[in-house]
Amino acid sequence: MKDLTEKQLSSTHIFKGRLLDVWSDEVKLPDGRSSVREYIKHPGAVAMIPVLPDGKILLIRQFRYPIGGVEIELPAGKIDPGESLEETVHRELEEETGYRAGKITKLTEIHPCIGYSDERMWIYLVENLTKTETNTDGDEFIELLPTELSQCMEWVQTGKITDVKTIIGLFWAEKLLFQK
Amino acid sequence: MKDLTEKQLSSTHIFKGRLLDVWSDEVKLPDGRSSVREYIKHPGAVAMIPVLPDGKILLIRQFRYPIGGVEIELPAGKIDPGESLEETVHRELEEETGYRAGKITKLTEIHPCIGYSDERMWIYLVENLTKTETNTDGDEFIELLPTELSQCMEWVQTGKITDVKTIIGLFWAEKLLFQK
């Protein structure tokens, strides 16, 4: 295997906003030349596949400003400082859907955006759900959309669902639930 | 269905680098309050599933600076100004792998990063490959990794492959090739 490693020569902080933390680094390429890498530093996130008592998947509808439309998604959210992955799953599930989980299982880890972000995201299966009081975040407006898995997979195939964490979570759900 | 739409009140250009184009908009939420949305404007991209004459999937290994490691991926790349999706597929395939495609088929469209980027990515099945001369981009260092589909899927399951476009492309390949 070739040495493909790029080494940091210098790092410049471009912008720190409410959400985005933007950096530009000068790097040394494997052949000795230099280049620039611009990227986002991200705290990491979780996404979850909540399975309701009737077997439906608890999807949500949410407006996504960068793409200018409402997306059908799995519940998800960023890790708060000091929070464990499990704590983030429980907090985001309750904030976004108003459910509590009796059982959560880590399935896999993904990188949504390796070209320009260091974001890592962990996907959990979330079961034994019980309803609490919905308490959505101040600037999140969310609609619940409980959906049969077969319908979810049709929406993946036809392109009605385009969000990557949701597509990957649903493929995992299909594999797991068909194996049961 | 609730009205979940957020409306732009103002838009501020934060940074335009070699790769990243960063914006911060003030938006009006569905309840009338205002909030801030920070995001990347992206030209769009393609990813492709190249199937070699022996049936293997032509994966590549590439160092990804934001996550600090070598990733196993499907070939992919950004759309150049004025380029059609098909032209991008042919150009990136040849630049990254040194192959030409006799047949390309659009499979699906994904949004890798709806939280903070408007990036859209189209995934193609790429067949009837013939070898040309490899001509990789100036600052891309790439190693070819032709891999049996069953091995690819094992790497998805075990978390050796974490890149979202690659995972989604491989799930599509599995469905298509098992249907044949």
Side-chain angles (χ1 to χ4, degrees):
Chain A
M1 290 181 180
K2 287 188 269 191
D3 180 17
L4 302 167
T5 310
E6 299 173 356
K7 291 180 183 67
Q8 185 187 73
L9 297 173
S10 66
S11 188
T12 305
H13 197 188
I14 301 292
F15 173 69
K16 169 81 171 164
R18 274 179 47 171
L19 170 67
L20 293 185
D21 187 15
V22 184
W23 293 76
S24 177
D25 291 10
E26 195 188 357
V27 302
K28 189 176 166 189
L29 299 174
D31 66 0
R33 290 180 304 130
S34 65
S35 188
V36 172
R37 300 289 180 234
E38 297 160 0
Y39 59 100
I40 308 291
K41 285 192 186 177
H42 190 282
V46 300
M48 63 203 80
I49 309 158
V51 185
L52 290 165
D54 65 2
K56 286 185 181 172
I57 309 295
L58 184 54
L59 297 175
I60 60 175
R61 295 177 75 249
Q62 190 175 5
F63 188 81
R64 289 300 195 162
Y65 187 79
I67 62 167
V70 172
E71 278 287 298
I72 297 172
E73 299 175 50
L74 293 171
K78 284 190 298 297
I79 300 164
D80 278 348
E83 213 177 29
S84 71
L85 293 176
E86 290 70 23
E87 285 166 346
T88 312
V89 171
H90 287 292
R91 178 179 55 74
E92 288 287 349
L93 178 69
E94 189 160 356
E95 284 178 3
E96 297 201 335
T97 73
Y99 278 87
R100 261 193 214 116
K103 183 184 173 193
I104 70 171
T105 312
K106 196 195 287 179
L107 297 179
T108 192
E109 179 190 342
I110 61 176
H111 286 103
C113 199
I114 54 177
Y116 52 93
S117 171
D118 70 353
E119 181 177 359
R120 302 165 71 185
M121 180 183 275
W122 290 264
I123 300 181
Y124 281 78
L125 185 67
V126 164
E127 299 168 292
N128 301 351
L129 297 182
T130 50
K131 192 89 185 88
T132 64
E133 197 177 320
T134 301
N135 174 29
T136 51
D137 277 359
D139 60 4
E140 283 188 297
F141 294 84
I142 288 171
E143 195 171 75
L144 303 186
L145 187 67
T147 306
E148 296 285 355
L149 182 57
S150 57
Q151 177 69 75
C152 296
M153 298 318 295
E154 193 193 310
W155 288 345
V156 169
Q157 295 280 333
T158 58
K160 188 179 165 95
I161 291 176
T162 63
D163 170 52
V164 294
K165 66 179 179 295
T166 305
I167 296 171
I168 292 172
L170 290 171
F171 273 124
W172 272 82
E174 192 185 36
K175 278 194 185 276
L176 287 172
L177 300 176
F178 281 175
Q179 280 168 8
K180 273 184 181 172
Chain B
M1 289 184 181
K2 287 188 268 190
D3 179 16
L4 302 167
T5 310
E6 299 173 355
K7 292 181 182 66
Q8 185 186 71
L9 297 173
S10 66
S11 188
T12 306
H13 197 188
I14 301 292
F15 172 68
K16 169 81 171 163
R18 275 179 46 171
L19 170 67
L20 293 185
D21 187 16
V22 184
W23 293 76
S24 177
D25 290 10
E26 195 187 357
V27 303
K28 188 175 166 190
L29 300 174
D31 66 0
R33 290 180 305 130
S34 66
S35 188
V36 172
R37 299 290 179 232
E38 298 160 359
Y39 59 100
I40 308 291
K41 286 192 187 176
H42 189 283
V46 301
M48 63 203 80
I49 309 158
V51 184
L52 290 165
D54 65 2
K56 287 184 180 171
I57 309 296
L58 185 54
L59 299 174
I60 59 175
R61 295 177 73 249
Q62 190 174 5
F63 188 80
R64 289 300 194 161
Y65 188 79
I67 61 167
V70 172
E71 277 287 298
I72 296 171
E73 298 176 50
L74 293 171
K78 283 190 298 295
I79 301 163
D80 278 348
E83 213 176 30
S84 71
L85 293 176
E86 291 71 21
E87 285 166 345
T88 312
V89 171
H90 286 292
R91 178 179 55 75
E92 288 287 350
L93 178 70
E94 189 160 355
E95 284 178 3
E96 296 201 336
T97 73
Y99 278 88
R100 260 192 215 117
K103 183 185 174 193
I104 69 172
T105 312
K106 195 195 288 180
L107 298 180
T108 192
E109 179 191 342
I110 60 176
H111 286 104
C113 199
I114 54 177
Y116 53 93
S117 171
D118 69 355
E119 181 177 359
R120 301 167 70 186
M121 180 183 274
W122 290 265
I123 300 181
Y124 282 78
L125 185 68
V126 164
E127 298 168 291
N128 301 352
L129 297 181
T130 49
K131 192 89 185 90
T132 65
E133 198 177 319
T134 302
N135 174 29
T136 51
D137 278 358
D139 60 4
E140 283 189 295
F141 294 85
I142 287 171
E143 195 172 76
L144 302 186
L145 187 66
T147 307
E148 296 284 355
L149 182 57
S150 57
Q151 177 69 75
C152 296
M153 298 317 296
E154 194 192 311
W155 288 346
V156 169
Q157 295 280 334
T158 58
K160 187 178 166 97
I161 291 176
T162 63
D163 170 52
V164 294
K165 66 180 178 296
T166 305
I167 295 171
I168 292 172
L170 290 171
F171 273 125
W172 273 80
E174 192 185 35
K175 279 193 185 277
L176 288 172
L177 300 176
F178 281 175
Q179 278 168 8
K180 275 185 181 170

